[in-house]
């Protein structure tokens, strides 16, 4: 039996999730994600592990599986819901099967900047979304930032119709797929771990992602043209299984919440710094043309993509979209 199938066997055993199991051995908790350890999420997960093991190491050990080693994020959401793993931090675009309201994060050009995203997440509406999938077995413990998404392609583009006919990778999100269909491009939903090779093989010709993901995955090697579009947001929800969470004592939950809060703060600081540094590193590459759109060009992109706000209002809720727009107002 291989090491991987042994891990799967262990994941398949429902009893591993029950925290109240009387045992002298610390319980092993699984944290699965798809990015490298040198990313905001990778670093956040490492800090979470180190805090939990330092404060409760006699009770819990955390095994982190980065880089899609265990499963992709679509599978991780199902594995959390079914109680086969304990922690994951999928993109907010990955919850469509469970709630329409989180689609708000995929609406193009909705949030003016990351400060607005942060204000929305801390608003009553944003906080309420964390507990919205509890009955499906998914509990949100907090939000983690990556940053704003940029468009990249293998041919030059400045206007929305320049992308017509190209195949663009998206996450498995209906809104994100429609976004590219509005540009007459073809949307190809694909797991993150497959994107680099698909670009290399010309199976897809474009993609959207944050500076830190474009840099850490070396997408620039096959995407010489980029636009600082800031057209969407890539943020995560750190999730756990509801039954696992309810099986913990109040004291243990408090420790997990504290470790999560600290590591999310750290991850957010990393996200900010990495996106700035990785953008600068990409901009200085001789093989990359980075286009900064004029205000007039941005308006063209917004006009092309914004019809999605109205189209998805019934699923998201006018009140949720309103709360997100309110977050764009800087408090006095
Ligand atoms: C991630 O940052 O977790 C992956 C995002 C993606 O699938 O593009």
């Amino acid at each position: 039996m291989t090491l991987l199938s042994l891990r799967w066997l262990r994941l398949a055993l429902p009893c591993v999730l029950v925290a109240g199991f009387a045992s002298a051995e610390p319980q092993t908790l699984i944290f699965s994600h798809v990015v490298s350890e040198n990313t905001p999420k990778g670093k956040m997960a490492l800090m979470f592990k180190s805090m939990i093991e330092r404060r409760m190491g006699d009770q819990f050990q955390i095994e982190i599986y980065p880089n899609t080693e265990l499963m992709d994020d679509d599978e991780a959401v199902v594995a959390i819901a079914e109680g086969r793993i304990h922690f994951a931090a999928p993109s907010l675009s990955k919850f469509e099967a469970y709630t329409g309201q989180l689609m708000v994060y995929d609406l193009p050009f909705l949030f003016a900047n990351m400060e607005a995203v942060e204000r929305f997440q801390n608003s009553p509406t944003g906080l309420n979304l964390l507990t919205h999938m509890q009955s499906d077995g998914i509990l949100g413990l907090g939000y983690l930032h990556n940053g704003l998404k940029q468009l990249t392609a293998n041919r030059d583009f400045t206007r929305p119709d320049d992308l017509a006919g190209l195949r663009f990778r998206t996450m498995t999100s209906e809104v994100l797929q429609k976004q590219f269909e509005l540009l007459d491009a073809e949307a190809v939903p694909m797991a993150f771990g497959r994107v680099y090779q698909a670009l290399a093989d010309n199976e897809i010709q474009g993609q959207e992602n944050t500076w830190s993901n474009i840099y850490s995955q070396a997408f620039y090697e096959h995407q010489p043209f980029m636009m600082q579009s800031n057209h969407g947001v890539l943020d995560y929800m750190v999730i756990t299984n509801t039954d696992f969470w309810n099986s913990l004592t109040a004291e243990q939950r408090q420790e997990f919440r504290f470790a999560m809060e600290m590591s999310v703060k750290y991850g957010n600081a990393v996200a900010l710094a990495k996106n700035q540094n990785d953008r600068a590193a990409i901009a200085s590459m001789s093989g990359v043309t980075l286009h900064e759109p004029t205000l007039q060009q941005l308006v063209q992109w917004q006009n092309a993509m914004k019809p999605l706000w109205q189209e998805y209002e019934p699923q998201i809720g006018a009140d949720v979209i309103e709360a997100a727009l309110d977050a764009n107002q800087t408090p006095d």
Side-chain angles (χ1 to χ4, degrees):
M1 191 178 277
T2 64
L3 185 61
L4 201 62
S5 50
L6 266 174
R7 280 175 185 153
W8 270 108
L9 187 64
R10 188 174 50 206
L11 291 180
L13 294 174
C15 66
V16 295
L17 280 180
V18 181
F21 211 78
S23 159
E25 289 297 304
Q27 187 186 358
T28 300
L29 306 179
I30 308 292
F31 193 145
S32 169
H33 67 81
V34 297
V35 290
S36 70
E37 298 207 301
N38 185 27
T39 57
K41 183 160 47 183
K43 285 178 178 275
M44 172 262 157
L46 286 170
M47 178 160 170
F48 181 64
K49 170 182 166 67
S50 106
M51 280 190 74
I52 292 298
E53 291 181 358
R54 201 168 59 235
R55 298 167 72 90
M56 295 194 288
D58 55 332
Q59 301 171 65
F60 302 105
Q61 292 290 304
I62 300 200
E63 274 182 16
I64 302 177
Y65 294 90
N67 282 319
T68 322
E69 271 171 24
L70 194 58
M71 56 184 75
D72 70 31
D73 267 348
D74 287 318
E75 293 164 323
V77 173
V78 177
I80 287 281
E82 293 177 353
R84 284 184 283 113
I85 63 171
H86 306 80
F87 299 103
S91 149
L92 291 162
S93 311
K94 307 272 179 176
F95 296 101
E96 226 171 62
Y98 298 91
T99 171
Q101 296 197 336
L102 283 170
M103 286 176 174
V104 69
Y105 286 100
D106 283 345
L107 291 181
F109 294 108
L110 185 69
F111 292 102
N113 47 43
M114 289 308 291
E115 289 75 32
V117 174
E118 172 88 19
R119 278 194 291 274
F120 174 66
Q121 291 176 342
N122 288 322
S123 73
T125 308
L127 292 172
N128 186 36
L129 291 176
L130 291 172
T131 53
H132 209 67
M133 300 173 285
Q134 264 190 102
S135 57
D136 291 306
I138 302 170
L139 175 66
L141 295 177
Y143 292 105
L144 172 70
H145 296 325
N146 188 317
L148 295 177
K149 287 186 288 187
Q150 320 300 332
L151 290 166
T152 73
N154 69 352
R155 74 170 187 227
D156 202 4
F157 64 98
T158 52
R159 297 161 42 90
D161 51 11
D162 290 336
L163 299 184
L166 295 188
R167 286 164 63 81
F168 263 77
R169 178 266 172 172
T170 67
M171 288 182 264
T172 41
S173 142
E174 202 185 299
V175 184
L176 298 181
Q177 282 166 245
K178 285 260 173 82
Q179 178 186 259
F180 287 103
E181 285 161 14
L182 283 177
L183 307 177
D184 290 326
E186 191 184 335
V188 184
M190 184 181 287
F192 186 63
R194 281 201 57 226
V195 179
Y196 178 87
Q197 201 51 48
L199 290 170
D201 295 343
N202 199 31
E203 182 186 337
I204 49 173
Q205 292 83 41
Q207 64 87 48
E208 55 169 1
N209 229 304
T210 57
W211 294 119
S212 77
N213 277 353
I214 294 168
Y215 187 74
S216 64
Q217 297 289 312
F219 292 159
Y220 52 82
E221 288 178 7
H222 303 288
Q223 297 281 271
F225 299 99
M226 306 193 184
M227 190 172 84
Q228 183 163 303
S229 49
N230 289 330
H231 64 284
V233 60
L234 171 59
D235 255 34
Y236 310 114
M237 190 185 284
V238 188
I239 52 174
T240 189
N241 172 267
T242 313
D243 289 342
F244 162 68
W245 189 252
N246 291 337
S247 75
L248 299 172
T249 65
E251 206 175 300
Q252 288 168 332
R253 280 200 291 266
Q254 202 179 346
E255 287 289 353
F256 276 106
R257 281 217 182 270
F258 178 69
M260 186 58 67
E261 209 178 300
M262 292 298 112
S263 37
V264 160
K265 273 199 180 122
Y266 170 61
N268 286 348
V270 172
L272 192 65
K274 276 198 83 51
N275 272 307
Q276 283 167 358
N277 294 345
D278 295 349
R279 182 204 175 280
I282 290 169
S284 69
M285 288 174 181
S286 56
V288 170
T289 302
L290 170 53
H291 177 64
E292 290 187 41
T294 61
L295 206 56
Q296 213 175 6
Q297 284 170 332
L298 263 185
V299 170
Q300 289 176 344
W301 288 90
Q302 288 168 356
N303 289 342
M305 292 178 168
K306 262 188 171 174
L308 291 178
W309 294 18
Q310 209 175 352
E311 186 175 339
Y312 281 92
E313 193 187 286
Q315 275 146 283
I316 297 169
D319 54 330
V320 176
I321 298 179
E322 201 56 43
L325 288 171
D326 283 351
N328 285 333
Q329 312 296 325
T330 330
D332 302 327

